[in-house]
Amino acid sequence: MRYWIVEIFTSIQGEGLVIGRPSNFVRLAGCNLRCVWCDTKFSWVREDGKPMELEEIISKLSRSVRWTTITGGEPLLQDLIPLASTLKNMGYNVAVETNGTVKPKQELRKIVDVFSVSPKLSNSGHKLRYDFSDDWATYYKFVIVEPYRDLREVKDFVEEQRIDPEKVIVQPDGNRQDYTQALRELSDAVMELGLPFRVLPQLHRIISYR
């Protein structure tokens, strides 16, 4: 099995429910969106990646960590079942980071431990129609650029999709130079609007750890 790969590395997971955990990262090339604030534009084009056999990918992973995160780009544009099943058989916990526009197959859902789904708000430059009626995401992560406007959009989205608010994470735009201030503004807005969403940072923006 061959995959188009941008990079493979080991680092600290910087966001989401597994924030702070050491993890291998396998970044796949190719994305079906072009978000204006994207911080991994180098992963947009599949042909900008390198074709790698499954065995070569596995050989580059650290065995000293429990987690392996498959990310992108949009990783679900490629068939993740062989990769994910191999990782599980090796004893890894597997996380998949996706924009939610491609639904994973049932077979993959049984393998993956965590689906980190990041639906795109209008601040991404897109107006997308999502359907999470089967609620396959482990949690939903939203990038917030303008807190009061964007949080109201998140609230509407959560209500329309009938998502459990306990599964919702909001985080500041990682491109903000004054990231700590952006985190404070977001936290204040969540409190003022009386929203139940979890506010989390991108840890790597704070400690500059890759």
Side-chain angles (χ1 to χ4, degrees):
M1 183 67 189
R2 179 176 293 185
Y3 293 92
W4 288 86
I5 302 293
V6 177
E7 58 180 350
I8 299 173
F9 59 95
T10 303
S11 185
I12 299 295
Q13 174 57 260
E15 56 189 33
L17 289 182
V18 292
I19 188 171
R21 294 185 180 274
S23 177
N24 294 305
F25 289 83
V26 180
R27 187 181 303 281
L28 275 62
C31 189
N32 57 341
L33 300 180
R34 298 292 186 270
C35 298
V36 296
W37 39 251
C38 179
D39 58 359
T40 55
K41 292 183 173 67
F42 57 88
S43 67
W44 281 358
V45 180
R46 189 186 71 167
E47 287 72 22
D48 286 345
K50 174 186 176 183
M52 295 177 63
E53 299 291 339
L54 178 56
E55 294 76 12
E56 183 181 1
I57 295 170
I58 296 301
S59 71
K60 295 182 178 298
L61 302 179
S62 169
R63 295 305 303 272
S64 65
V65 300
R66 289 185 55 196
W67 284 86
T68 293
T69 301
I70 306 171
T71 186
E74 175 44 59
L76 288 176
L77 294 175
Q78 301 184 51
D79 181 8
L80 299 186
I81 294 174
L83 174 58
S85 60
T86 299
L87 292 170
K88 288 296 291 184
N89 289 336
M90 294 177 66
Y92 289 111
N93 292 329
V94 179
V96 172
E97 298 179 337
T98 171
N99 60 36
T101 60
V102 182
K103 288 191 176 184
K105 297 178 180 178
Q106 286 292 340
E107 183 178 354
L108 184 63
R109 298 186 199 185
K110 295 177 182 178
I111 299 170
V112 172
D113 297 285
V114 169
F115 279 103
S116 169
V117 181
S118 181
K120 306 311 174 190
L121 302 174
S122 57
N123 63 31
S124 68
H126 297 286
K127 289 290 287 185
L128 302 172
R129 295 185 64 85
Y130 285 97
D131 177 12
F132 290 110
S133 56
D134 51 354
D135 196 22
W136 53 269
T138 307
Y139 64 91
Y140 302 83
K141 176 167 57 66
F142 295 88
V143 174
I144 305 300
V145 178
E146 296 184 23
Y148 290 95
R149 180 199 67 184
D150 294 348
L151 286 171
R152 290 186 175 94
E153 188 175 342
V154 174
K155 181 176 181 293
D156 291 343
F157 184 92
V158 168
E159 291 175 351
E160 291 168 3
Q161 296 289 328
R162 298 183 179 180
I163 292 171
D164 181 356
E166 290 293 321
K167 299 175 71 171
V168 175
I169 292 171
V170 292
Q171 64 185 44
D173 173 16
N175 294 313
R176 279 276 296 264
Q177 295 300 311
D178 55 342
Y179 190 76
T180 302
Q181 177 62 26
L183 186 59
R184 185 177 297 110
E185 291 171 3
L186 174 55
S187 300
D188 289 345
V190 166
M191 294 300 293
E192 288 182 26
L193 293 173
L195 298 173
F197 308 145
R198 184 179 304 186
V199 180
L200 287 178
Q202 289 179 301
L203 186 61
H204 47 286
R205 300 300 178 203
I206 298 174
I207 60 179
S208 298
Y209 195 86
R210 188 178 175 86

